[in-house]
Amino acid sequence: DDATHRELTEDVTKFLQATVDHCILGLKILNQLVDELNIPTSGRTLTQHRKTSVSFRDLCLFKVFQLGLTTLKQLQTRAISTADHRQEVILGEQALGLTVRCLNFDFIGTNPDESTEDVGTIQAPTNWRPVLQDPGTTELLLDFYANTDPPRSNKAMEAVILICSVRRSLFPSDKEREAFLGRVMSGIRELLKNQTGLQHQDNY
């Protein structure tokens, strides 16, 4: 129920603030949680699943998404000083996986098998707009693409592509949407110009 979702997310957040190993475990739990609440499972009716999924989406998903991005920012700025290289790699993989899972969440309860013009569009809620539209978000992900190897680099690019797929109506105006897409295209053009990451088949 609603209280359980809030408490679980808050409890896992405490993990992220403890040791590096606790942080890794916390991110793994959040990845599993998003998967379980996004994909219907046996033992629950579709109605029960949708009710639980919507509750999680409204109460917790945005916070979980922000936790993934915050971890990436901490890795970028070397703020997690106690992490060794192996732990940094795992943290990056888990945080990027979480970011992609949150963006891939079934926000409006559509079946991906249904052929509609909205398939492929990320129906992110309006309160996600400041983070998705923030140039720092895509810059962070493009930086991870440029400075890591697969699977981190291709997960970072996957997240950028998903952010570019958010519904048009999320932006206050076409001008703001064009500016957003223009910034992303400039970043990707620079990567292509320098052939950054193109030596890795997984990045294609």
Side-chain angles (χ1 to χ4, degrees), residues 53-116:
S53 178
V54 167
S55 172
F56 179 74
R57 177 201 69 191
D58 293 344
L59 294 171
C60 305
L61 188 62
F62 183 50
K63 183 175 181 180
V64 172
F65 177 62
Q66 289 178 301
L67 287 172
L69 291 176
T70 299
T71 303
L72 293 175
K73 188 66 178 177
Q74 290 174 330
L75 288 169
Q76 183 194 47
T77 58
R78 313 289 297 195
I80 309 177
S81 57
T82 56
D84 59 30
H85 177 70
R86 182 190 65 84
Q87 290 172 320
E88 286 184 348
V89 170
I90 297 172
L91 284 168
E93 289 175 359
Q94 292 297 322
L96 286 164
L98 185 61
T99 301
V100 167
R101 280 180 171 83
C102 289
L103 290 168
N104 264 325
F105 198 82
D106 188 3
F107 291 101
I108 57 174
T110 55
N111 186 325
D113 294 332
E114 294 173 3
S115 297
T116 71

Short mmCIF file of all heavy atoms in Angstrom, two decimals, residues 53-116:
data_model
loop_
_atom_site.label_atom_id
_atom_site.label_comp_id
_atom_site.label_asym_id
_atom_site.label_seq_id
_atom_site.Cartn_x
_atom_site.Cartn_y
_atom_site.Cartn_z
N SER A 53 1.07 -0.30 -8.96
CA SER A 53 2.02 0.38 -9.84
C SER A 53 1.78 1.89 -9.86
O SER A 53 2.73 2.68 -9.79
CB SER A 53 1.89 -0.20 -11.26
OG SER A 53 2.75 0.47 -12.15
N VAL A 54 0.52 2.29 -9.93
CA VAL A 54 0.17 3.72 -9.96
C VAL A 54 0.55 4.39 -8.63
O VAL A 54 1.07 5.50 -8.61
CB VAL A 54 -1.33 3.91 -10.26
CG1 VAL A 54 -1.77 5.34 -9.98
CG2 VAL A 54 -1.63 3.54 -11.71
N SER A 55 0.29 3.68 -7.53
CA SER A 55 0.65 4.22 -6.21
C SER A 55 2.16 4.45 -6.12
O SER A 55 2.61 5.50 -5.67
CB SER A 55 0.20 3.25 -5.12
OG SER A 55 0.70 3.64 -3.86
N PHE A 56 2.94 3.46 -6.57
CA PHE A 56 4.40 3.58 -6.55
C PHE A 56 4.85 4.72 -7.46
O PHE A 56 5.73 5.50 -7.10
CB PHE A 56 5.03 2.26 -6.98
CG PHE A 56 6.53 2.28 -7.02
CD1 PHE A 56 7.27 2.28 -5.84
CD2 PHE A 56 7.21 2.32 -8.23
CE1 PHE A 56 8.66 2.32 -5.87
CE2 PHE A 56 8.59 2.34 -8.27
CZ PHE A 56 9.32 2.34 -7.09
N ARG A 57 4.25 4.80 -8.64
CA ARG A 57 4.60 5.88 -9.59
C ARG A 57 4.37 7.26 -8.97
O ARG A 57 5.23 8.14 -9.05
CB ARG A 57 3.74 5.74 -10.85
CG ARG A 57 3.95 6.83 -11.89
CD ARG A 57 2.77 6.92 -12.83
NE ARG A 57 1.57 7.42 -12.14
CZ ARG A 57 0.35 7.41 -12.64
NH1 ARG A 57 0.14 6.87 -13.84
NH2 ARG A 57 -0.67 7.89 -11.96
N ASP A 58 3.24 7.42 -8.31
CA ASP A 58 2.89 8.74 -7.78
C ASP A 58 3.67 9.11 -6.53
O ASP A 58 3.97 10.28 -6.30
CB ASP A 58 1.39 8.78 -7.46
CG ASP A 58 0.54 8.71 -8.72
OD1 ASP A 58 1.09 8.93 -9.82
OD2 ASP A 58 -0.67 8.41 -8.61
N LEU A 59 4.02 8.11 -5.72
CA LEU A 59 4.63 8.40 -4.42
C LEU A 59 6.15 8.27 -4.40
O LEU A 59 6.81 8.98 -3.64
CB LEU A 59 4.05 7.47 -3.35
CG LEU A 59 2.57 7.64 -3.03
CD1 LEU A 59 2.10 6.51 -2.13
CD2 LEU A 59 2.32 8.99 -2.38
N CYS A 60 6.70 7.39 -5.22
CA CYS A 60 8.11 7.02 -5.03
C CYS A 60 8.99 7.09 -6.26
O CYS A 60 10.21 7.29 -6.14
CB CYS A 60 8.20 5.61 -4.46
SG CYS A 60 7.28 5.35 -2.95
N LEU A 61 8.43 6.87 -7.45
CA LEU A 61 9.27 6.66 -8.63
C LEU A 61 10.19 7.84 -8.93
O LEU A 61 11.37 7.65 -9.26
CB LEU A 61 8.40 6.34 -9.85
CG LEU A 61 9.17 5.92 -11.10
CD1 LEU A 61 9.95 4.63 -10.86
CD2 LEU A 61 8.22 5.76 -12.28
N PHE A 62 9.67 9.05 -8.80
CA PHE A 62 10.50 10.23 -9.11
C PHE A 62 11.67 10.33 -8.13
O PHE A 62 12.81 10.64 -8.53
CB PHE A 62 9.65 11.50 -9.07
CG PHE A 62 10.42 12.75 -9.45
CD1 PHE A 62 11.18 12.79 -10.61
CD2 PHE A 62 10.37 13.88 -8.65
CE1 PHE A 62 11.88 13.94 -10.96
CE2 PHE A 62 11.06 15.02 -8.99
CZ PHE A 62 11.82 15.06 -10.16
N LYS A 63 11.42 10.03 -6.88
CA LYS A 63 12.49 10.06 -5.89
C LYS A 63 13.55 9.01 -6.21
O LYS A 63 14.75 9.26 -6.09
CB LYS A 63 11.92 9.83 -4.48
CG LYS A 63 12.98 9.92 -3.39
CD LYS A 63 12.37 9.80 -2.00
CE LYS A 63 13.45 9.94 -0.91
NZ LYS A 63 12.88 9.82 0.45
N VAL A 64 13.09 7.83 -6.61
CA VAL A 64 14.01 6.75 -6.98
C VAL A 64 14.85 7.17 -8.19
O VAL A 64 16.07 6.95 -8.23
CB VAL A 64 13.24 5.44 -7.28
CG1 VAL A 64 14.17 4.38 -7.85
CG2 VAL A 64 12.57 4.93 -6.01
N PHE A 65 14.21 7.79 -9.16
CA PHE A 65 14.91 8.30 -10.35
C PHE A 65 15.99 9.31 -9.94
O PHE A 65 17.14 9.25 -10.43
CB PHE A 65 13.89 8.95 -11.28
CG PHE A 65 14.48 9.58 -12.52
CD1 PHE A 65 15.15 8.80 -13.46
CD2 PHE A 65 14.34 10.94 -12.76
CE1 PHE A 65 15.68 9.38 -14.61
CE2 PHE A 65 14.86 11.52 -13.91
CZ PHE A 65 15.53 10.73 -14.84
N GLN A 66 15.65 10.21 -9.04
CA GLN A 66 16.60 11.20 -8.57
C GLN A 66 17.77 10.57 -7.81
O GLN A 66 18.91 11.04 -7.90
CB GLN A 66 15.89 12.23 -7.68
CG GLN A 66 14.97 13.16 -8.45
CD GLN A 66 14.23 14.12 -7.54
OE1 GLN A 66 13.51 13.70 -6.63
NE2 GLN A 66 14.43 15.41 -7.75
N LEU A 67 17.49 9.49 -7.08
CA LEU A 67 18.55 8.78 -6.35
C LEU A 67 19.58 8.20 -7.33
O LEU A 67 20.78 8.24 -7.08
CB LEU A 67 17.97 7.67 -5.49
CG LEU A 67 17.21 8.11 -4.23
CD1 LEU A 67 16.51 6.91 -3.59
CD2 LEU A 67 18.16 8.76 -3.22
N GLY A 68 19.09 7.67 -8.44
CA GLY A 68 19.98 7.15 -9.47
C GLY A 68 20.87 8.24 -10.03
O GLY A 68 22.09 8.08 -10.15
N LEU A 69 20.27 9.39 -10.36
CA LEU A 69 21.03 10.51 -10.91
C LEU A 69 22.01 11.09 -9.90
O LEU A 69 23.15 11.45 -10.24
CB LEU A 69 20.08 11.61 -11.39
CG LEU A 69 19.22 11.30 -12.63
CD1 LEU A 69 18.28 12.45 -12.91
CD2 LEU A 69 20.10 11.00 -13.84
N THR A 70 21.59 11.16 -8.64
CA THR A 70 22.47 11.68 -7.58
C THR A 70 23.70 10.81 -7.42
O THR A 70 24.83 11.31 -7.27
CB THR A 70 21.71 11.76 -6.24
OG1 THR A 70 20.61 12.66 -6.38
CG2 THR A 70 22.62 12.26 -5.13
N THR A 71 23.51 9.50 -7.48
CA THR A 71 24.64 8.57 -7.38
C THR A 71 25.60 8.78 -8.54
O THR A 71 26.83 8.80 -8.36
CB THR A 71 24.15 7.11 -7.36
OG1 THR A 71 23.24 6.93 -6.28
CG2 THR A 71 25.32 6.15 -7.19
N LEU A 72 25.06 8.98 -9.75
CA LEU A 72 25.92 9.22 -10.92
C LEU A 72 26.71 10.52 -10.75
O LEU A 72 27.89 10.58 -11.09
CB LEU A 72 25.06 9.29 -12.19
CG LEU A 72 24.38 7.99 -12.63
CD1 LEU A 72 23.48 8.25 -13.83
CD2 LEU A 72 25.42 6.93 -12.96
N LYS A 73 26.05 11.54 -10.23
CA LYS A 73 26.73 12.82 -10.00
C LYS A 73 27.85 12.66 -8.98
O LYS A 73 28.94 13.23 -9.14
CB LYS A 73 25.70 13.86 -9.52
CG LYS A 73 26.26 15.27 -9.45
CD LYS A 73 26.60 15.80 -10.84
CE LYS A 73 27.12 17.22 -10.79
NZ LYS A 73 27.53 17.72 -12.13
N GLN A 74 27.59 11.89 -7.95
CA GLN A 74 28.62 11.65 -6.92
C GLN A 74 29.81 10.90 -7.51
O GLN A 74 30.96 11.18 -7.17
CB GLN A 74 28.02 10.86 -5.75
CG GLN A 74 27.04 11.66 -4.92
CD GLN A 74 26.34 10.82 -3.87
OE1 GLN A 74 26.14 9.62 -4.06
NE2 GLN A 74 26.00 11.43 -2.75
N LEU A 75 29.54 9.97 -8.40
CA LEU A 75 30.62 9.25 -9.06
C LEU A 75 31.41 10.17 -9.98
O LEU A 75 32.64 10.12 -10.04
CB LEU A 75 30.06 8.07 -9.86
CG LEU A 75 29.54 6.88 -9.05
CD1 LEU A 75 28.77 5.92 -9.94
CD2 LEU A 75 30.69 6.14 -8.37
N GLN A 76 30.69 11.03 -10.69
CA GLN A 76 31.34 11.96 -11.62
C GLN A 76 32.28 12.92 -10.89
O GLN A 76 33.37 13.23 -11.36
CB GLN A 76 30.29 12.74 -12.40
CG GLN A 76 30.86 13.69 -13.44
CD GLN A 76 29.83 14.68 -13.94
OE1 GLN A 76 29.11 15.30 -13.16
NE2 GLN A 76 29.73 14.83 -15.27
N THR A 77 31.84 13.38 -9.72
CA THR A 77 32.63 14.36 -8.96
C THR A 77 33.57 13.71 -7.95
O THR A 77 34.19 14.40 -7.15
CB THR A 77 31.68 15.33 -8.22
OG1 THR A 77 30.82 14.58 -7.35
CG2 THR A 77 30.83 16.12 -9.21
N ARG A 78 33.61 12.38 -7.99
CA ARG A 78 34.47 11.61 -7.07
C ARG A 78 34.12 11.88 -5.61
O ARG A 78 34.98 11.91 -4.73
CB ARG A 78 35.95 11.95 -7.29
CG ARG A 78 36.40 11.94 -8.73
CD ARG A 78 36.45 10.57 -9.32
NE ARG A 78 37.43 9.71 -8.66
CZ ARG A 78 37.87 8.56 -9.16
NH1 ARG A 78 37.38 8.15 -10.34
NH2 ARG A 78 38.74 7.82 -8.52
N ALA A 79 32.83 12.08 -5.36
CA ALA A 79 32.38 12.40 -4.00
C ALA A 79 32.33 11.16 -3.11
O ALA A 79 32.32 11.28 -1.89
CB ALA A 79 30.99 13.06 -4.05
N ILE A 80 32.30 9.98 -3.73
CA ILE A 80 32.30 8.73 -2.95
C ILE A 80 33.77 8.31 -2.81
O ILE A 80 34.25 7.39 -3.49
CB ILE A 80 31.45 7.65 -3.63
CG1 ILE A 80 30.05 8.20 -3.97
CG2 ILE A 80 31.30 6.42 -2.72
CD1 ILE A 80 29.16 7.22 -4.72
N SER A 81 34.46 8.98 -1.93
CA SER A 81 35.93 8.85 -1.84
C SER A 81 36.39 7.49 -1.33
O SER A 81 37.52 7.08 -1.57
CB SER A 81 36.49 9.95 -0.94
OG SER A 81 35.89 9.89 0.35
N THR A 82 35.50 6.77 -0.63
CA THR A 82 35.90 5.48 -0.05
C THR A 82 35.73 4.32 -1.03
O THR A 82 36.11 3.19 -0.72
CB THR A 82 35.07 5.18 1.22
OG1 THR A 82 33.68 5.23 0.89
CG2 THR A 82 35.37 6.21 2.30
N ALA A 83 35.17 4.59 -2.22
CA ALA A 83 34.93 3.51 -3.19
C ALA A 83 36.18 3.23 -4.00
O ALA A 83 36.85 4.15 -4.47
CB ALA A 83 33.79 3.90 -4.12
N ASP A 84 36.51 1.94 -4.15
CA ASP A 84 37.62 1.59 -5.03
C ASP A 84 37.09 1.48 -6.46
O ASP A 84 35.89 1.64 -6.71
CB ASP A 84 38.31 0.30 -4.58
CG ASP A 84 37.37 -0.91 -4.55
OD1 ASP A 84 36.42 -0.96 -5.35
OD2 ASP A 84 37.59 -1.81 -3.70
N HIS A 85 37.98 1.21 -7.42
CA HIS A 85 37.57 1.20 -8.83
C HIS A 85 36.48 0.18 -9.10
O HIS A 85 35.50 0.46 -9.79
CB HIS A 85 38.78 0.92 -9.72
CG HIS A 85 38.42 0.82 -11.18
ND1 HIS A 85 38.02 1.92 -11.92
CD2 HIS A 85 38.36 -0.27 -12.02
CE1 HIS A 85 37.75 1.53 -13.16
NE2 HIS A 85 37.93 0.22 -13.24
N ARG A 86 36.62 -1.03 -8.54
CA ARG A 86 35.61 -2.07 -8.75
C ARG A 86 34.25 -1.63 -8.24
O ARG A 86 33.22 -1.83 -8.90
CB ARG A 86 36.05 -3.36 -8.02
CG ARG A 86 35.09 -4.53 -8.21
CD ARG A 86 35.44 -5.69 -7.27
NE ARG A 86 35.25 -5.32 -5.88
CZ ARG A 86 34.08 -5.37 -5.24
NH1 ARG A 86 33.00 -5.76 -5.89
NH2 ARG A 86 34.00 -5.04 -3.96
N GLN A 87 34.23 -1.01 -7.07
CA GLN A 87 32.97 -0.54 -6.49
C GLN A 87 32.38 0.60 -7.33
O GLN A 87 31.16 0.67 -7.51
CB GLN A 87 33.18 -0.09 -5.05
CG GLN A 87 33.47 -1.24 -4.08
CD GLN A 87 33.87 -0.75 -2.71
OE1 GLN A 87 34.61 0.24 -2.57
NE2 GLN A 87 33.39 -1.43 -1.67
N GLU A 88 33.23 1.47 -7.84
CA GLU A 88 32.75 2.57 -8.69
C GLU A 88 32.08 2.03 -9.95
O GLU A 88 31.05 2.56 -10.40
CB GLU A 88 33.89 3.51 -9.06
CG GLU A 88 34.35 4.41 -7.92
CD GLU A 88 35.43 5.38 -8.36
OE1 GLU A 88 35.97 5.22 -9.47
OE2 GLU A 88 35.72 6.32 -7.59
N VAL A 89 32.67 0.99 -10.53
CA VAL A 89 32.09 0.37 -11.73
C VAL A 89 30.71 -0.21 -11.41
O VAL A 89 29.74 0.02 -12.15
CB VAL A 89 33.03 -0.73 -12.28
CG1 VAL A 89 32.31 -1.54 -13.37
CG2 VAL A 89 34.30 -0.12 -12.84
N ILE A 90 30.61 -0.92 -10.30
CA ILE A 90 29.33 -1.53 -9.92
C ILE A 90 28.30 -0.45 -9.60
O ILE A 90 27.13 -0.54 -10.03
CB ILE A 90 29.51 -2.47 -8.71
CG1 ILE A 90 30.43 -3.64 -9.07
CG2 ILE A 90 28.16 -3.01 -8.23
CD1 ILE A 90 30.82 -4.52 -7.89
N LEU A 91 28.71 0.57 -8.87
CA LEU A 91 27.79 1.67 -8.55
C LEU A 91 27.28 2.33 -9.83
O LEU A 91 26.08 2.63 -9.95
CB LEU A 91 28.50 2.72 -7.68
CG LEU A 91 28.69 2.37 -6.21
CD1 LEU A 91 29.66 3.36 -5.55
CD2 LEU A 91 27.36 2.37 -5.46
N GLY A 92 28.17 2.55 -10.79
CA GLY A 92 27.77 3.16 -12.06
C GLY A 92 26.78 2.29 -12.81
O GLY A 92 25.77 2.79 -13.32
N GLU A 93 27.06 0.99 -12.87
CA GLU A 93 26.16 0.07 -13.57
C GLU A 93 24.78 0.06 -12.92
O GLU A 93 23.75 0.11 -13.61
CB GLU A 93 26.75 -1.35 -13.57
CG GLU A 93 27.97 -1.52 -14.46
CD GLU A 93 28.59 -2.90 -14.34
OE1 GLU A 93 28.07 -3.72 -13.54
OE2 GLU A 93 29.58 -3.16 -15.04
N GLN A 94 24.75 0.00 -11.59
CA GLN A 94 23.48 -0.06 -10.88
C GLN A 94 22.70 1.25 -11.00
O GLN A 94 21.48 1.26 -11.19
CB GLN A 94 23.71 -0.41 -9.41
CG GLN A 94 24.22 -1.82 -9.17
CD GLN A 94 23.24 -2.89 -9.62
OE1 GLN A 94 22.03 -2.73 -9.46
NE2 GLN A 94 23.74 -3.97 -10.19
N ALA A 95 23.41 2.38 -10.88
CA ALA A 95 22.74 3.69 -10.96
C ALA A 95 22.21 3.96 -12.36
O ALA A 95 21.10 4.48 -12.53
CB ALA A 95 23.71 4.80 -10.53
N LEU A 96 22.97 3.59 -13.38
CA LEU A 96 22.51 3.76 -14.76
C LEU A 96 21.35 2.82 -15.07
O LEU A 96 20.38 3.21 -15.73
CB LEU A 96 23.66 3.52 -15.74
CG LEU A 96 24.70 4.64 -15.79
CD1 LEU A 96 25.98 4.15 -16.46
CD2 LEU A 96 24.15 5.86 -16.52
N GLY A 97 21.44 1.59 -14.57
CA GLY A 97 20.34 0.64 -14.75
C GLY A 97 19.06 1.16 -14.12
O GLY A 97 17.97 1.05 -14.69
N LEU A 98 19.19 1.76 -12.94
CA LEU A 98 18.03 2.31 -12.24
C LEU A 98 17.44 3.49 -13.01
O LEU A 98 16.22 3.61 -13.13
CB LEU A 98 18.45 2.75 -10.83
CG LEU A 98 17.34 3.24 -9.90
CD1 LEU A 98 16.31 2.13 -9.67
CD2 LEU A 98 17.94 3.70 -8.56
N THR A 99 18.30 4.34 -13.53
CA THR A 99 17.84 5.49 -14.31
C THR A 99 17.04 5.04 -15.53
O THR A 99 15.96 5.55 -15.82
CB THR A 99 19.05 6.34 -14.77
OG1 THR A 99 19.78 6.78 -13.62
CG2 THR A 99 18.60 7.55 -15.57
N VAL A 100 17.55 4.04 -16.24
CA VAL A 100 16.87 3.51 -17.43
C VAL A 100 15.55 2.85 -17.04
O VAL A 100 14.52 3.04 -17.71
CB VAL A 100 17.79 2.52 -18.17
CG1 VAL A 100 17.01 1.73 -19.22
CG2 VAL A 100 18.95 3.27 -18.83
N ARG A 101 15.55 2.08 -15.96
CA ARG A 101 14.31 1.41 -15.52
C ARG A 101 13.22 2.44 -15.17
O ARG A 101 12.05 2.23 -15.48
CB ARG A 101 14.59 0.52 -14.31
CG ARG A 101 15.20 -0.83 -14.67
CD ARG A 101 15.45 -1.66 -13.41
NE ARG A 101 15.84 -3.02 -13.75
CZ ARG A 101 17.07 -3.40 -14.05
NH1 ARG A 101 18.05 -2.49 -14.06
NH2 ARG A 101 17.34 -4.65 -14.35
N CYS A 102 13.61 3.50 -14.50
CA CYS A 102 12.62 4.53 -14.13
C CYS A 102 12.04 5.20 -15.38
O CYS A 102 10.83 5.44 -15.46
CB CYS A 102 13.26 5.58 -13.23
SG CYS A 102 13.64 4.98 -11.56
N LEU A 103 12.88 5.49 -16.36
CA LEU A 103 12.41 6.12 -17.59
C LEU A 103 11.55 5.17 -18.41
O LEU A 103 10.65 5.60 -19.14
CB LEU A 103 13.60 6.60 -18.42
CG LEU A 103 14.37 7.80 -17.85
CD1 LEU A 103 15.69 7.99 -18.58
CD2 LEU A 103 13.52 9.07 -17.92
N ASN A 104 11.82 3.88 -18.30
CA ASN A 104 11.06 2.86 -19.04
C ASN A 104 9.79 2.44 -18.33
O ASN A 104 9.07 1.55 -18.81
CB ASN A 104 11.93 1.62 -19.27
CG ASN A 104 12.60 1.63 -20.64
OD1 ASN A 104 12.03 2.11 -21.61
ND2 ASN A 104 13.81 1.11 -20.71
N PHE A 105 9.50 3.03 -17.19
CA PHE A 105 8.34 2.63 -16.40
C PHE A 105 7.05 2.84 -17.19
O PHE A 105 6.93 3.80 -17.97
CB PHE A 105 8.29 3.46 -15.10
CG PHE A 105 7.42 2.87 -14.03
CD1 PHE A 105 7.90 1.87 -13.20
CD2 PHE A 105 6.12 3.32 -13.84
CE1 PHE A 105 7.11 1.33 -12.20
CE2 PHE A 105 5.31 2.78 -12.86
CZ PHE A 105 5.81 1.78 -12.03
N ASP A 106 6.10 1.94 -17.00
CA ASP A 106 4.81 2.03 -17.69
C ASP A 106 3.95 3.07 -16.98
O ASP A 106 3.09 2.74 -16.17
CB ASP A 106 4.14 0.66 -17.69
CG ASP A 106 2.89 0.62 -18.55
OD1 ASP A 106 2.58 1.64 -19.20
OD2 ASP A 106 2.23 -0.43 -18.57
N PHE A 107 4.20 4.34 -17.31
CA PHE A 107 3.57 5.45 -16.59
C PHE A 107 2.05 5.47 -16.69
O PHE A 107 1.36 5.85 -15.75
CB PHE A 107 4.12 6.79 -17.09
CG PHE A 107 5.55 7.03 -16.74
CD1 PHE A 107 6.56 6.84 -17.67
CD2 PHE A 107 5.91 7.45 -15.46
CE1 PHE A 107 7.89 7.06 -17.34
CE2 PHE A 107 7.23 7.68 -15.11
CZ PHE A 107 8.23 7.48 -16.07
N ILE A 108 1.50 5.07 -17.83
CA ILE A 108 0.06 5.22 -18.02
C ILE A 108 -0.66 3.88 -18.19
O ILE A 108 -1.85 3.85 -18.53
CB ILE A 108 -0.27 6.14 -19.22
CG1 ILE A 108 0.37 5.60 -20.50
CG2 ILE A 108 0.19 7.55 -18.94
CD1 ILE A 108 -0.04 6.38 -21.74
N GLY A 109 0.05 2.77 -17.99
CA GLY A 109 -0.60 1.47 -18.00
C GLY A 109 -0.97 0.96 -19.36
O GLY A 109 -1.97 0.26 -19.53
N THR A 110 -0.16 1.30 -20.36
CA THR A 110 -0.44 0.79 -21.71
C THR A 110 0.27 -0.53 -21.92
O THR A 110 1.32 -0.78 -21.36
CB THR A 110 0.05 1.78 -22.78
OG1 THR A 110 1.44 2.04 -22.56
CG2 THR A 110 -0.73 3.07 -22.72
N ASN A 111 -0.31 -1.35 -22.74
CA ASN A 111 0.32 -2.61 -23.13
C ASN A 111 1.23 -2.32 -24.31
O ASN A 111 0.79 -1.80 -25.32
CB ASN A 111 -0.76 -3.62 -23.55
CG ASN A 111 -0.18 -4.99 -23.81
OD1 ASN A 111 0.93 -5.12 -24.31
ND2 ASN A 111 -0.96 -6.02 -23.49
N PRO A 112 2.53 -2.65 -24.21
CA PRO A 112 3.45 -2.35 -25.31
C PRO A 112 3.09 -3.05 -26.62
O PRO A 112 3.58 -2.68 -27.67
CB PRO A 112 4.80 -2.85 -24.79
CG PRO A 112 4.49 -3.79 -23.67
CD PRO A 112 3.21 -3.32 -23.08
N ASP A 113 2.21 -4.07 -26.54
CA ASP A 113 1.81 -4.74 -27.77
C ASP A 113 0.76 -3.95 -28.54
O ASP A 113 0.47 -4.22 -29.70
CB ASP A 113 1.24 -6.14 -27.45
CG ASP A 113 2.32 -7.05 -26.89
OD1 ASP A 113 3.49 -6.84 -27.24
OD2 ASP A 113 1.98 -7.95 -26.10
N GLU A 114 0.16 -2.98 -27.88
CA GLU A 114 -0.88 -2.20 -28.54
C GLU A 114 -0.22 -1.23 -29.53
O GLU A 114 0.70 -0.50 -29.19
CB GLU A 114 -1.69 -1.41 -27.50
CG GLU A 114 -2.50 -2.30 -26.58
CD GLU A 114 -3.16 -1.51 -25.45
OE1 GLU A 114 -3.01 -0.28 -25.46
OE2 GLU A 114 -3.81 -2.12 -24.60
N SER A 115 -0.71 -1.23 -30.75
CA SER A 115 -0.13 -0.37 -31.78
C SER A 115 -0.83 0.99 -31.75
O SER A 115 -1.92 1.16 -32.28
CB SER A 115 -0.28 -1.01 -33.16
OG SER A 115 0.45 -2.22 -33.20
N THR A 116 -0.20 1.95 -31.14
CA THR A 116 -0.72 3.31 -31.13
C THR A 116 0.43 4.25 -31.41
O THR A 116 1.60 3.88 -31.33
CB THR A 116 -1.34 3.70 -29.77
OG1 THR A 116 -0.28 3.85 -28.82
CG2 THR A 116 -2.31 2.65 -29.28
#
